């Protein structure tokens, strides 16, 4: 219950620095009671992050299962919606690059790598094994990682009225449309109609991929 309430406060959109006093008021209990369960704020934030990353991992696993048998481009898009939206909710990029606790920064970096990037690497390796990629999977992974980390801390999504997940998907699509080989003559592998479609907004699809 304490970690759940901490998550609601720590990861609320637009939240500012949350104190243990704020959490105690939210829970209607004393700080002394909280400290009996968590010796310090770092351990409490780590527990709250564990819950958030576990939910993200379930979301990515469900997205992968739903997209089995789908064109490779659709699988990548689904992954990017789930990963970008989930990391945006957690504020992982801000936590990993901020000036706060160095131990927590390292912890967030490790969790993002384990939960998101390893899955991303395997997804691109799978596309390469199927002969769908003309670019090295390591290159595509590196490009996507850089785009994800930059967009989650950038003002560009706000300026363009898109989520970071929207722009990440659009950016990676730009790369993939030139990297994915046609599954068979006359078929793009991602669907030619997608090239003409207006870019969908991830915020409209979060209900499908959320925890």
């Amino acid at each position: 219950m304490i970690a759940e309430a901490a998550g609601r406060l720590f990861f609320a959109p637009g939240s500012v620095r949350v104190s243990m006093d704020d959490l105690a008021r939210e829970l209607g209990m004393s700080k002394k009671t909280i400290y009996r369960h968590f010796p310090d704020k770092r351990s409490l934030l780590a527990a709250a992050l564990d819950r958030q990353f576990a939910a993200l991992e379930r979301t990515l696993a469900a997205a992968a299962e739903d997209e089995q048998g789908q064109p490779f481009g659709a699988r990548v898009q689904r992954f990017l919606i789930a990963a970008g939206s989930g990391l945006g909710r957690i504020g992982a990029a801000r936590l990993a690059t901020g000036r706060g606790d160095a131990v927590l920064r390292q912890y967030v970096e490790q969790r993002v790598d384990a939960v998101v990037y390893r899955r991303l690497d395997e997804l691109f390796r799978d596309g390469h094994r199927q002969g769908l990629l003309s670019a090295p999977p390591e290159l595509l992974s590196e490009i996507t990682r850089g785009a994800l980390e930059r967009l989650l801390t950038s003002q560009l999504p706000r300026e363009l009225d898109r989520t970071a997940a929207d722009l990440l998907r659009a950016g990676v699509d730009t790369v993939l449309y030139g990297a994915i080989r046609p599954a068979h003559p006359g078929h793009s592998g991602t669907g030619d109609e997608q090239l003409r479609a207006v870019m969908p907004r991830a915020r409209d699809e979060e209900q499908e991929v959320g925890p």
Side-chain angles (χ1 to χ4, degrees), residues 138-165:
E138 297 84 1
L139 174 61
L140 294 175
S141 290
E142 195 68 19
I143 291 171
T144 308
R145 288 184 186 216
L148 177 58
E149 292 169 3
R150 181 69 182 93
L151 285 171
L152 288 174
T153 57
S154 171
Q155 294 300 311
L156 188 60
R158 181 178 302 174
E159 292 171 4
L160 297 180
D161 191 28
R162 296 289 192 273
T163 68

Side-chain angles (χ1 to χ4, degrees), residues 3-16 18 44-53 87-92 94-95 108:
E4 182 180 357
R8 287 198 302 270
L9 289 179
F10 291 149
F11 309 123
S15 64
V16 294
V18 177
L44 176 55
L45 182 53
L49 282 166
D50 277 338
R51 292 176 60 88
Q52 294 290 324
F53 277 110
L87 290 176
R89 284 193 295 270
I90 296 172
R94 175 175 51 82
L95 291 168
V108 171

Side-chain angles (χ1 to χ4, degrees), residues 1-2 10 17 23 27 30 37 40 44 47 54 109 119 121 125 132 136 139 146 184 187 192 196:
M1 180 177 72
I2 295 175
F10 291 149
R17 188 176 183 86
L23 181 60
L27 289 168
S30 68
H37 295 276
D40 51 40
L44 176 55
E109 290 169 357
R119 287 179 179 272
D121 292 345
R125 284 196 295 267
L132 299 175
L139 174 61
H184 51 75
H187 189 278
D192 290 340
R196 298 188 297 271

Side-chain angles (χ1 to χ4, degrees), residues 174-189:
T174 302
V175 176
L176 290 180
Y177 287 141
I180 299 177
R181 295 186 178 121
H184 51 75
H187 189 278
S188 67

